Amino acid sequence: MDHLVLSMPGLLRGLGVTIMLGVVSFVLGFVLGGLITLARISRSPVLKATAIAYVSLLRGTPLLIQIMLVYFGLPQLGVRIAPIPSAILAFTLYSAAYLSENLRGGVLAIDQGQWEAADSMGMSHGRSLRRIIYPQALRVATPAIGGRFIALMKDTSLASVITVVELTRVAESTGSSSFRYVEAFVLAGAVYWLINAVLSIGQAILERRMGRAYT
Amino acid sequence: MIDTVAIDVRGLHKRFGRHEVLKSVDLTVRSGEVVAVMGPSGAGKTTLMRCLNLLEEPDAGTITVHGRTVDCTSPRRTRHRSRVIRDIRTRTAMVFQNYNLFPHLTVLENVIEAPISVRRLPRSYAVEIGDRLLGRLGLTDKRDEYPSRLSGGQLQRVAIARALAMDPEVILFDEPVSALDLELGAEILHIMKNLTARGITMVIVTHEIAFAREVADRVVFMDAGYILEEQHPSVFFSNPATPRARSFLRLVSEGDGSPPELERTN
Ligand SMILES: Nc1ncnc2c1ncn2[C@@H]1O[C@H](COP(=O)(O)OP(=O)(O)OP(=O)(O)O)[C@@H](O)[C@H]1O
Ligand SMILES: [Mg+2]
């Protein structure tokens, strides 16, 4: 393997790009997902319908098609975006759909009495959400959200099709130049597994802490 | 404050689907008055309390709290209407039967949340008020605990502190001791009795005859969505006017303090 790692000088750089894609898209997707959740549970029918349609479309179509639409489709409309930002945009939009559903699940899991207690003291809808509901919902949704992050880490390999030189793309090019596809892809696969093994441990710790009552 | 009206309810109707739970309720509560609401299970007592705080939207009628009126017959979501509702809620505090404390906030944070976000008090001032209330209710050593660490009686005291921190003109209690054992319940009732001395208007759903007799200025007896009687406790408990109230009182005094199920005779 040592030999192979040496023959894949781009490996570390590819790994860096993969992690960057995952982390940046997740953070942005989380923010966007939070906004979509707000729209989804708002009293405005228009906002609500928009959020439902968004989630349905992004969850109902292949991620690969969304990536291609951003990278190849937008230029047709006069918007040209470099590969990495394209990938980040696509992953963000996609994760936001899932994360908003996770967050909504968390919000729905919170006892109605929490809303009522806040309402009964005259707290505004937004304030109740921010101070009372969201903090509790986030905790409920932590396992699902952690799972999303891990899934996204693997999904970033799709960025290779739009020429982003991340882990998968590095493996592919190393494989094709050395004809050692098996070693290259096995190594890349092992690295993904390693990343996610670490994330899973982190998630387990987080869940254990979050699973306890507030003390 | 001579005889100002704290709460005025006119022609209140509330239905859940086809089930009409409140059928034209009229009720006036004067400032500083303590009203005990009694009645069999399903009479609509909880629903009435929730309507007073607009947690339920009545289908018809008007609710006036300290001069602010919500007309429920025209349920339009106007900006003005939401403001009146929030205004009413800010002036009335509700103590829920199951407390509904915020589990992710400490005792003190529970108490100061709304004073800061609704009354817009500076944090340091809210903390001062909070600490004073917690002291009064014997919760000083629980100040920084989370609700999960507290007993039922302590939770109820936090709920009362949280309500008082809003400096409300009216406090609504829905069966404040029904979830507690006798001893803790007596402690809460004692605290509530002390509150009456402070001139806060209180509406209390309760089945505690001794408490109502001692503390209430008036007993409101509800059954099947109507207020059947309003009497001074001394009259109500010794000589109720309606047969329904008579059979209710017989059941309560025999029972374990839980809301009795009156058999429908009509
Ligand atoms: N959200 C709801 N949806 C449907 N029906 C409801 C709802 N809330 C209350 N009801 C019904 O309304 C009636 C009155 O309920 P309410 O809780 O006001 O009675 P109560 O007098 O407080 O009784 P208890 O002494 O048992 O607490 C009951 O028949 C109840 O089933
Ligand atoms: Mg009730």
Side-chain angles (χ1 to χ4, degrees):
Chain A
M1 278 298 207
D2 269 359
H3 167 69
L4 193 72
V5 172
L6 288 180
S7 74
M8 289 172 72
L11 182 82
L12 279 182
R13 191 131 39 90
L15 173 62
V17 173
T18 289
I19 291 176
M20 185 275 291
L21 284 179
V23 170
V24 172
S25 309
F26 180 78
V27 171
L28 295 178
F30 188 77
V31 173
L32 181 60
L35 294 176
I36 294 167
T37 307
L38 286 184
R40 181 74 174 77
I41 62 179
S42 80
R43 296 207 187 99
S44 150
V46 179
L47 284 178
K48 199 176 235 172
T50 310
I52 292 174
Y54 179 92
V55 170
S56 169
L57 278 175
L58 277 108
R59 292 208 309 175
T61 55
L63 174 57
L64 188 51
I65 286 191
Q66 297 168 21
I67 294 171
M68 305 249 234
L69 262 179
V70 169
Y71 186 63
F72 297 114
L74 285 184
Q76 209 177 314
L77 306 174
V79 185
R80 189 168 296 277
I81 315 180
I84 287 185
S86 293
I88 289 178
L89 179 58
F91 292 139
T92 298
L93 297 177
Y94 175 79
S95 320
Y98 279 93
L99 289 170
S100 78
E101 284 296 281
N102 297 153
L103 286 170
R104 186 172 76 97
V107 169
L108 293 181
I110 303 308
D111 182 51
Q112 194 60 26
Q114 294 288 303
W115 282 106
E116 294 187 345
D119 279 350
S120 75
M121 295 188 292
M123 286 174 72
S124 69
H125 186 75
R127 183 86 192 180
S128 307
L129 254 181
R130 208 165 53 250
R131 298 282 306 159
I132 307 302
I133 306 299
Y134 247 32
Q136 297 184 62
L138 206 54
R139 194 162 165 138
V140 174
T142 295
I145 290 171
R148 259 295 114 205
F149 189 35
I150 289 174
L152 178 63
M153 268 308 178
K154 293 184 291 182
D155 287 342
T156 57
S157 77
L158 288 175
S160 59
V161 301
I162 57 168
T163 76
V164 175
V165 187
E166 40 64 75
L167 206 46
T168 303
R169 183 93 181 179
V170 169
E172 200 183 322
S173 58
T174 312
S176 69
S177 62
S178 64
F179 288 102
R180 301 180 65 167
Y181 281 110
V182 172
E183 292 89 333
F185 282 124
V186 165
L187 181 59
V191 174
Y192 279 110
W193 174 80
L194 207 66
I195 298 174
N196 284 340
V198 170
L199 287 180
S200 299
I201 292 170
Q203 189 190 13
I205 294 172
L206 201 63
E207 270 179 41
R208 184 134 31 89
R209 185 170 304 169
M210 294 280 192
R212 283 203 298 261
Y214 300 87
T215 47
Chain B
M1 284 249 277
I2 305 161
D3 251 22
T4 42
V5 173
I7 302 173
D8 193 47
V9 171
R10 291 291 127 210
L12 202 66
H13 282 261
K14 175 67 192 175
R15 56 169 73 245
F16 291 108
R18 293 174 54 199
H19 182 20
E20 200 169 9
V21 175
L22 296 179
K23 306 162 187 164
S24 195
V25 168
D26 295 326
L27 177 67
T28 304
V29 180
R30 289 184 306 280
S31 232
E33 200 179 10
V34 178
V35 171
V37 178
M38 307 190 94
S41 184
K45 307 178 297 289
T46 296
T47 306
L48 173 62
M49 300 290 271
R50 292 169 57 82
C51 284
L52 290 180
N53 214 333
L54 281 313
L55 286 177
E56 301 287 355
E57 282 259 343
D59 298 302
T62 60
I63 296 174
T64 307
V65 176
H66 279 274
R68 281 145 190 88
T69 300
V70 176
D71 184 351
C72 306
T73 318
S74 54
R76 284 166 300 132
R77 288 197 178 280
T78 61
R79 222 161 251 289
H80 171 70
R81 186 191 167 85
S82 324
R83 210 172 26 242
V84 173
I85 288 179
R86 275 187 65 188
D87 206 32
I88 287 180
R89 286 174 169 170
T90 309
R91 287 153 186 279
T92 60
M94 178 101 167
V95 177
F96 296 88
Q97 185 171 2
N98 57 350
Y99 325 125
N100 285 337
L101 294 178
F102 305 130
H104 63 302
L105 301 179
T106 65
V107 165
L108 180 70
E109 288 166 344
N110 263 277
V111 174
I112 65 176
E113 174 61 40
I116 292 173
S117 68
V118 179
R119 290 176 69 200
R120 308 239 167 252
L121 300 184
R123 195 188 154 83
S124 56
Y125 184 45
V127 169
E128 203 178 297
I129 291 177
D131 277 333
R132 199 157 58 226
L133 282 169
L134 292 179
R136 237 169 72 196
L137 295 177
L139 289 164
T140 300
D141 55 331
K142 301 293 174 196
R143 176 186 195 267
D144 299 314
E145 297 275 12
Y146 286 90
S148 66
R149 293 282 185 93
L150 270 54
S151 71
Q154 290 165 340
L155 291 172
Q156 185 64 296
R157 280 185 278 153
V158 177
I160 293 174
R162 183 174 70 172
L164 290 173
M166 284 302 284
D167 197 16
E169 281 150 28
V170 176
I171 304 190
L172 309 169
F173 291 91
D174 190 3
E175 303 198 27
V177 300
S178 62
L180 303 175
D181 64 35
L182 269 178
E183 197 177 337
L184 291 176
E187 195 182 296
I188 297 296
L189 293 175
H190 180 74
I191 288 168
M192 291 172 62
K193 208 173 95 188
N194 288 341
L195 290 181
T196 62
R198 298 179 163 257
I200 301 176
T201 312
M202 298 207 276
V203 182
I204 308 163
V205 175
T206 183
H207 300 288
E208 310 288 323
I209 293 180
F211 174 71
R213 193 193 284 275
E214 185 178 2
V215 166
D217 298 306
R218 185 153 48 115
V219 175
V220 167
F221 177 71
M222 286 185 75
D223 184 35
Y226 293 103
I227 292 180
L228 292 191
E229 285 193 44
E230 295 184 50
Q231 304 270 23
H232 191 273
S234 61
V235 178
F236 180 77
F237 290 120
S238 57
N239 194 15
T242 57
R244 298 292 295 166
R246 267 199 294 281
S247 49
F248 170 78
L249 284 175
R250 207 160 40 236
L251 284 171
V252 171
S253 48
E254 287 166 3
D256 54 2
S258 63
E261 309 265 356
L262 274 193
E263 269 169 37
R264 299 248 61 88
T265 45
N266 45 346

